[in-house]
Amino acid sequence: MKMKRLSLALAFTLAAAIFTSCEKNSTYKLPILGYTDYEEVNGKVDTIYHTIPAFGFLDQDSAMVTKETVEGKIYVADFFFGTCPTICPKMAQQMLRVYDQFKDNEDFAILSHTIDPEHDTVEYLNGYAAKLGVNDNETWHFLTGKKEEIYELGTAAGYMVQVREDPTAEGGYIHSGAFILVDKEGRVRGFYDGTIPEKVDVLMNDIKILQAEYAD
Amino acid sequence: MTSKYFRQNMRINIIGSCLLLCICLAACGPSDKSSSDSNNNAAALDNKERQYFTNGRNLYETYCANCHMEQGQGLGQLIPPLKNSDFLLANVPAAARWIKNGLNGKIMVNGKTYDQPMPANAKLTPLEIAEILTFISNSWGNTHGGVTTEEVIEVLNQQAN
C-alpha cells in the first residue's frame, strides 16, 4: 500500500513538473549579443557590450529618426526594399503580426531600413506604409537615407547582418531576412528569420521576456 | 494482500501516469497551424487536370507564394489577392503572360487599385504556367476549372505577334 501511494505521488510530481515547465521561466534572460569588451576603471572591471551606433534617417512622414528616438524602447529592426521580388513581402506580412501585437505599447518600435534609398524615397515609403495598413509613424518607421550609412548600420559595427548590392541577385540586392531584437540600451538581444512564422512567434515571445526584464 | 492484486494495481497506476504524461506533453506542443487549403476545386477536375493542380501547388510555393502568400490572400494594398480575385478569374488563361513577362502599371482587383510591379518569370515553360494557372484558379474558393498547355502557348503566341 505504501508503494502504491509512493508511485501515485511520484506520478503527480512528474505531472506537476511537466506542467510548470510549460510556463515561461520569469528569471530567464535573453543573451546580449555581439562583441563584448572589458575595461578596467579604478580597479574595477567594466563590461562593455556591443550597442547600435548613432544613426539618423528620415521616416515615411519625413520625421528624423535617430538613436535617441529609440532610446528607452525595445525595438525590432529589419532591412528591405520596396520593389523586392523575393522575401520582403513575406517579411512585411510577418512584421505586421509583430506590429499588431505591440503597437499600443509606448516603449516599443519597429525600424524598417530600405537598402534601395534611391528608389525608396520618403514619398514612396509613405505610400508603401499606407498600403501595408500602417497609417501613422508612431510605432513603425520606414527609414531612408544615405546608402553608405544604411549599409554601415547593417555590418558588424551595427546590426551584424548581411546587406549588400549584388547585380546577380534577383532584384539587385542581397539582404538578410532577419528581424533583429534590440533592447532599451541599444544592445542586440536576438535574431529571428522574418520569413518563417514560427520564428516570428519566438520573437514575439522574446519581446515579452525582454519587457519583463525591465518590469522588475 | 496478494502480490498479484498489488502488481495489477501498480500496472494501472503506471498506465495512468503515462497517460497523464502524454496529455501534459501534448499541451506543451505548438498549436496546429495547417496551411493546407480544404476549400479547393480539385474534386471537379479530371485526372490530368488534378495532376496539373498538384504540380502547380509546388510551383506556386516556389515562384508565387512569397508575394501572393500561402492562401492567395496577397498583402495589404501592395500585393493583390488571387483568392476570389475578379481580375485573375476574368483573365484565365491570359494571365499566363503576366506570369511569364511580369506586369507593370495600375490594376483594379475587387475594387481596389494595386500599383506594385510584378516580376517576370521568363524561365517558366508553358506546361509549368498551365500548372500554376490550374492551381491558382481552383484554390481558396476559386472554381475556374483546368487550364491546358495548349491554351497557354496560344496566349503567349498572341502576345508575340
Side-chain angles (χ1 to χ4, degrees):
Chain A
M1 231 19 197
K2 223 178 202 170
M3 269 286 278
K4 185 181 166 191
R5 206 172 298 155
L6 198 72
S7 69
L8 208 77
L10 209 75
F12 272 112
T13 326
L14 201 64
I18 287 161
F19 265 123
T20 48
S21 72
C22 285
E23 286 167 17
K24 299 291 154 300
N25 191 341
S26 59
T27 57
Y28 171 71
K29 284 190 176 162
L30 301 175
I32 296 168
L33 304 172
Y35 180 73
T36 305
D37 208 356
Y38 301 93
E39 199 177 71
E40 203 180 305
V41 182
N42 300 329
K44 282 186 197 162
V45 177
D46 268 2
T47 311
I48 300 156
Y49 294 109
H50 172 81
T51 57
I52 302 302
F55 59 86
F57 300 114
L58 289 177
D59 75 6
Q60 71 270 33
D61 282 357
S62 277
M64 188 55 129
V65 172
T66 66
K67 197 181 162 156
E68 282 69 43
T69 315
V70 287
E71 214 163 55
K73 291 185 182 189
I74 291 167
Y75 74 94
V76 180
D78 73 347
F79 291 88
F80 80 108
F81 60 108
T83 51
C84 162
T86 53
I87 58 176
C88 302
K90 204 137 244 190
M91 289 167 68
Q93 181 205 35
Q94 292 305 314
M95 194 64 99
L96 269 173
R97 292 176 58 216
V98 180
Y99 175 70
D100 284 336
Q101 186 164 349
F102 296 101
K103 65 180 170 197
D104 297 327
N105 230 295
E106 269 182 22
D107 47 10
F108 178 78
I110 298 171
L111 304 186
S112 286
H113 299 271
T114 177
I115 52 172
D116 185 11
E118 279 132 40
H119 177 270
D120 297 351
T121 57
V122 168
E123 189 190 357
Y124 177 84
L125 291 177
N126 188 283
Y128 185 88
K131 286 173 193 165
L132 265 183
V134 179
N135 296 314
D136 60 57
N137 68 341
E138 297 287 312
T139 303
W140 193 347
H141 305 274
F142 295 84
L143 300 173
T144 185
K146 284 205 185 108
K147 201 169 203 168
E148 314 83 67
E149 290 174 21
I150 298 166
Y151 283 41
E152 177 67 19
L153 198 60
T155 64
Y159 292 118
M160 305 179 276
V161 291
Q162 175 86 276
V163 180
R164 64 189 160 88
E165 259 180 295
D166 185 341
T168 63
E170 220 177 316
Y173 296 92
I174 285 184
H175 72 110
S176 150
F179 288 175
I180 307 127
L181 178 61
V182 183
D183 71 13
K184 293 186 179 183
E185 283 82 39
R187 300 174 302 191
V188 176
R189 304 299 292 269
F191 296 97
Y192 312 84
D193 189 330
T195 62
I196 301 173
E198 289 76 12
K199 303 283 181 189
V200 177
D201 291 345
V202 175
L203 164 64
M204 293 197 282
N205 191 44
D206 280 0
I207 291 171
K208 288 182 202 157
I209 292 173
L210 196 52
Q211 285 173 331
E213 191 178 300
Y214 289 102
D216 301 339
Chain B
M1 189 167 293
T2 63
S3 64
K4 190 184 170 194
Y5 171 78
F6 183 74
R7 225 177 294 144
Q8 213 164 27
N9 236 345
M10 264 300 268
R11 195 172 306 150
I12 292 170
N13 218 330
I14 289 166
I15 293 169
S17 331
C18 285
L19 219 72
L20 201 62
L21 233 157
C22 290
I23 294 167
C24 295
L25 285 177
C28 279
S31 56
D32 181 40
K33 271 190 211 149
S34 173
S35 62
S36 68
D37 171 32
S38 54
N39 193 19
N40 69 49
N41 192 38
L45 304 177
D46 67 29
N47 275 342
K48 191 181 170 190
E49 290 168 341
R50 216 171 294 160
Q51 200 182 338
Y52 272 41
F53 180 92
T54 307
N55 292 340
R57 173 159 46 207
N58 295 332
L59 291 164
Y60 179 80
E61 277 164 17
T62 306
Y63 295 100
C64 321
N66 260 334
C67 291
H68 289 290
M69 302 296 160
E70 61 283 5
Q71 298 295 318
Q73 74 268 41
L75 177 66
Q77 229 174 303
L78 277 176
I79 317 272
L82 303 174
K83 175 183 179 167
N84 301 321
S85 162
D86 57 1
F87 187 67
L88 169 69
L89 293 171
N91 287 288
V92 181
R97 293 184 209 131
W98 308 328
I99 296 174
K100 179 99 177 166
N101 306 316
L103 179 62
N104 282 298
K106 282 187 182 142
I107 56 166
M108 181 80 96
V109 180
N110 299 340
K112 283 187 186 170
T113 310
Y114 294 84
D115 192 13
Q116 183 84 348
M118 170 166 155
N121 289 283
K123 283 181 201 157
L124 289 176
T125 64
L127 169 64
E128 288 171 323
I129 293 171
E131 288 170 337
I132 290 172
L133 280 173
T134 300
F135 174 69
I136 62 177
S137 62
N138 292 287
S139 290
W140 321 298
N142 293 345
T143 53
H144 175 273
V147 178
T148 65
T149 309
E150 289 72 30
E151 282 178 288
V152 170
I153 291 171
E154 199 184 317
V155 296
L156 290 179
N157 284 341
Q158 275 170 18
Q159 190 192 32
N161 294 334

